[in-house]
């Protein structure tokens, strides 16, 4: 659902840019509390994984395809603030390296695919897991949250198009079309999210941010009736670095982008199909970087899509990894400064 240049007037594009910038600024501060020795390296991997899976368009209806948005998946794995930053990194790499998503529409894309999808997905996830504390509940909540987040972002697009779209299309028509096709895409989103979360839970449950604290302690009663806690809650476990999980995840992302991407559906995605059917696809303008070699994932420069995908995974990992470690270091420095201040006051 990458919005191209030309769909929105200058006022909406600028306003969405301001919202996106403000949201990223808030998330930069919030991510300092989420990023630790587990989530900082995981966040870079999650961004690279989302980039890779977004290349894998899957058919959802005759002549229409969809792809992962990834905001809910990122929120569950590394936290909602960090998830918005993950999506911003992915969209920046796609926009500037691969001419995927308009540059003037970058604020719109971050707002829709980052902020809206993450907020809605994380809210649904927390509502479902709030009263049920088990791994199956986390997986089921992952599916439901991801499914709902996609049509929510699509309806937000329809709202923005009603406010400042460049074509005189009835908002109800756009909303119905966008909502309908993106419910189908949301099912695919939910399945991918649930399978990914379930896999990580099975291998390294401590790396799933949304599952921290969900495992209740096992309590046994002694002969005198006193309760004895024999297993600590997950939240109390000592944080471990991702270790071998990180290179293994990079290999998976590379295989998806480098090999599986050759088999992705070539049909237009949900937004493009709706724009064609409703007559506003002609409002899209050429991307200013459409002639660079990696544009359209290598098609402009005759580069195989798998090679372009590998470059994209590497670029996303580098940009995201650098950002997340910098944010982590800033948060650690703030904690150290506070502790030093307390010691000076105590002295």
């Amino acid at each position: 659902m990458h919005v191209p240049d030309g769909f929105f007037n200058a006022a909406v594009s600028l306003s969405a840019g301001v919202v996106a910038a403000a949201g990223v600024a808030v998330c930069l501060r919030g991510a300092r509390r989420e990023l630790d020795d587990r989530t900082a390296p995981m966040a870079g991997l999650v961004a690279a994984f989302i980039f890779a899976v977004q290349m894998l368009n899957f058919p959802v209806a005759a002549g229409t395809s969809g792809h992962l948005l990834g905001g809910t998946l990122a929120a569950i794995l590394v936290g909602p603030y960090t998830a918005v930053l993950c999506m911003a990194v992915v969209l920046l790499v796609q926009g500037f390296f691969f001419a995927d998503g308009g540059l003037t529409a970058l604020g719109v894309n971050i707002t829709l695919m980052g902020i809206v999808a993450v907020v809605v997905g994380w809210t649904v996830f927390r509502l479902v897991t709030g009263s049920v504390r088990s791994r199956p509940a986390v997986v089921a909540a992952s599916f439901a949250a991801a499914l709902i987040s996609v049509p929510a972002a699509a309806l937000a697009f329809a709202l923005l198009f009603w406010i400042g779209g460049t074509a005189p299309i009835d908002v109800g028509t756009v909303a119905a079309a966008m909502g309908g096709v993106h419910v189908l895409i949301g099912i695919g989103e939910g399945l991918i999210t649930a399978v990914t979360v379930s896999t990580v839970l099975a291998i390294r449950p401590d790396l799933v941010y949304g599952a921290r604290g969900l495992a209740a302690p096992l309590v046994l009663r002694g002969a005198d009736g006193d309760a004895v806690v024999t297993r600590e809650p997950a939240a109390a476990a000592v944080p471990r670095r991702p270790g071998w999980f990180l290179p293994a995840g990079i290999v998976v992302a590379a295989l998806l982008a480098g090999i599986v991407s050759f088999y992705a559906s070539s049909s237009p995605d949900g937004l493009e199909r709706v724009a064609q059917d409703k007559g506003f696809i002609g409002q899209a303008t050429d991307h200013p970087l459409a002639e660079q070699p990696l544009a359209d994932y290598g098609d402009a420069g005759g580069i195989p899509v798998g090679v372009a995908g590998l470059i994209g995974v590497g670029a996303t990992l580098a940009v995201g990894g650098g950002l997340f470690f910098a944010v982590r270091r800033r948060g650690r420095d703030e904690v150290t400064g506070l502790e030093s201040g307390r010691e000076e006051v105590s002295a």
Side-chain angles (χ1 to χ4, degrees):
M1 195 171 66
H2 293 74
V3 178
D5 293 318
F7 273 14
F8 292 99
N9 60 31
V12 168
S13 297
L14 288 172
S15 298
V18 171
V19 170
V24 168
V26 170
C27 291
L28 282 169
R29 292 190 61 84
R32 297 174 193 172
R33 299 189 298 271
E34 294 174 346
L35 293 171
D36 54 27
D37 289 341
R38 289 175 289 183
T39 50
M42 266 291 289
L45 172 60
V46 167
F49 180 79
I50 290 173
F51 176 92
V53 181
Q54 281 195 1
M55 295 181 65
L56 311 181
N57 281 47
F58 50 85
V60 295
T64 307
S65 70
H67 63 72
L68 180 80
L69 295 189
T72 300
L73 173 61
I76 295 169
L77 292 178
V78 293
Y81 292 108
T82 307
V84 173
L85 300 182
C86 283
M87 295 306 301
V89 168
V90 171
L91 291 166
L92 282 166
V93 171
Q94 290 171 334
F96 284 94
F97 284 81
F98 300 94
D100 188 10
L103 296 186
T104 62
L106 184 59
V108 173
N109 283 320
I110 292 176
T111 298
L112 297 178
M113 298 174 65
I115 297 173
V116 172
V118 169
V119 169
V120 171
W122 181 250
T123 300
V124 173
F125 177 80
R126 295 301 295 164
L127 287 174
V128 175
T129 58
S131 58
V132 183
R133 305 167 65 86
S134 68
R135 288 189 185 180
V138 171
V139 176
S142 300
F143 174 82
L147 190 160
I148 294 171
S149 71
V150 176
L155 293 177
F157 168 88
L159 176 62
L160 289 180
F161 202 81
W162 174 62
I163 295 171
T166 55
I169 306 296
D170 178 67
V171 63
T173 300
V174 175
M178 286 291 289
V181 72
H182 282 88
V183 166
L184 299 177
I185 295 173
I187 295 173
E189 177 103 7
L191 291 172
I192 294 170
T193 301
V195 168
T196 304
V197 171
S198 177
T199 301
V200 181
L201 278 172
I203 300 172
R204 284 289 302 273
D206 59 303
L207 295 180
V208 181
Y209 180 91
R212 295 183 184 181
L214 290 179
L218 178 63
V219 179
L220 299 178
R221 296 283 176 179
D224 56 359
D226 293 336
V228 179
V229 179
T230 62
R231 185 176 70 237
E232 292 296 322
V238 177
R240 290 192 294 146
R241 296 178 184 274
W244 63 266
F245 188 90
L246 186 62
I250 294 172
V251 170
V252 171
L255 289 173
L256 292 174
I259 297 177
V260 183
S261 60
F262 283 100
Y263 304 97
S265 173
S266 59
S267 299
D269 67 10
L271 173 58
E272 188 177 356
R273 171 57 68 185
V274 171
Q276 290 175 355
D277 292 346
K278 302 306 175 185
F280 61 92
I281 190 64
Q283 300 301 117
T285 58
D286 292 336
H287 197 288
L289 303 177
E291 301 302 320
Q292 68 172 338
L294 288 173
D296 199 17
Y297 297 92
D299 188 60
I303 299 173
V305 65
V307 175
L310 290 175
I311 294 172
V313 167
T316 305
L317 189 63
V319 174
L323 171 65
F324 299 127
F325 275 105
V327 174
R328 168 60 175 154
R329 176 175 293 181
R330 180 67 180 273
R332 184 179 294 169
D333 290 345
E334 287 184 354
V335 172
T336 302
L338 288 173
E339 291 177 349
S340 298
R342 291 192 187 110
E343 290 176 359
E344 291 176 1
V345 171
S346 299

